[in-house]
Amino acid sequence: DLWIPSAKVLRQHWAKQTCYDGGTPNAEETQRNLKAIQIRQHSQLKRGTAAAAAAIVQNVFPRNCNVLGDQFYYCVNCGAFDKKIANMKRHFGVRTDMMGCSVAIHMKRGTVCEGLHGLRCPAEVVQLIQNQKF
């Protein structure tokens, strides 16, 4: 998923950062909650005004966000990205049925933005989201 870390990544982050109050949060429940928020935000982006979409995107990826210097291979259909072309080709082979991703149509190469809380997304996909076309 474009915006959602896996339960494993959440657990690793919490073990390293201890950025929570009380006991360790439930990673699976947190992932489900984040997924619900993602779906709600996507609906708001699609139904809302262009200005509202731009504001939502700017909250996560401000204009001065870090742009990773390397060129990445990415899927403009779902936002998956990697430095290694072999990994991206594997993405298209595995996820074609599920996401409708096609290497001939959707694979591109470009920069990746790093936004709030280290969230990363191909710059073109950020622009598509802002323009309500993703």
Side-chain angles (χ1 to χ4, degrees):
D1 299 328
L2 183 60
W3 306 97
I4 307 303
S6 69
K8 178 182 175 183
V9 168
L10 288 169
R11 280 191 290 276
Q12 290 172 341
H13 170 79
W14 291 328
K16 183 178 178 184
Q17 302 296 326
T18 57
C19 56
Y20 52 86
D21 293 329
T24 306
N26 181 311
E28 286 78 15
E29 183 180 333
T30 300
Q31 186 182 27
R32 279 191 299 275
N33 291 340
L34 290 171
K35 180 75 171 182
I37 291 167
Q38 178 189 42
I39 291 168
R40 188 171 55 249
Q41 285 181 336
H42 185 259
S43 295
Q44 289 172 344
L45 282 167
K46 293 298 248 181
R47 286 183 283 131
T49 65
I56 291 170
V57 171
Q58 289 302 312
N59 283 336
V60 179
F61 294 99
R63 294 188 199 288
N64 64 346
C65 73
N66 188 27
V67 176
L68 304 181
D70 295 332
Q71 290 286 304
F72 290 81
Y73 295 96
Y74 65 93
C75 177
V76 74
N77 186 53
C78 73
F81 66 92
D82 203 292
K83 286 184 181 182
K84 297 179 181 177
I85 193 167
N87 292 340
M88 282 311 299
K89 286 186 177 179
R90 199 170 318 125
H91 159 79
F92 290 106
V94 171
R95 292 204 170 186
T96 298
D97 296 335
M98 207 167 78
M99 303 292 285
C101 303
S102 165
V103 70
I105 299 169
H106 299 121
M107 189 160 104
K108 298 198 175 189
R109 192 163 188 212
T111 58
V112 169
C113 297
E114 185 174 47
L116 195 64
H117 305 298
L119 294 175
R120 294 177 176 182
C121 184
E124 181 179 357
V125 174
V126 171
Q127 192 62 47
L128 288 170
I129 294 168
Q130 187 165 325
N131 293 338
Q132 299 174 291
K133 296 182 180 177
F134 185 79

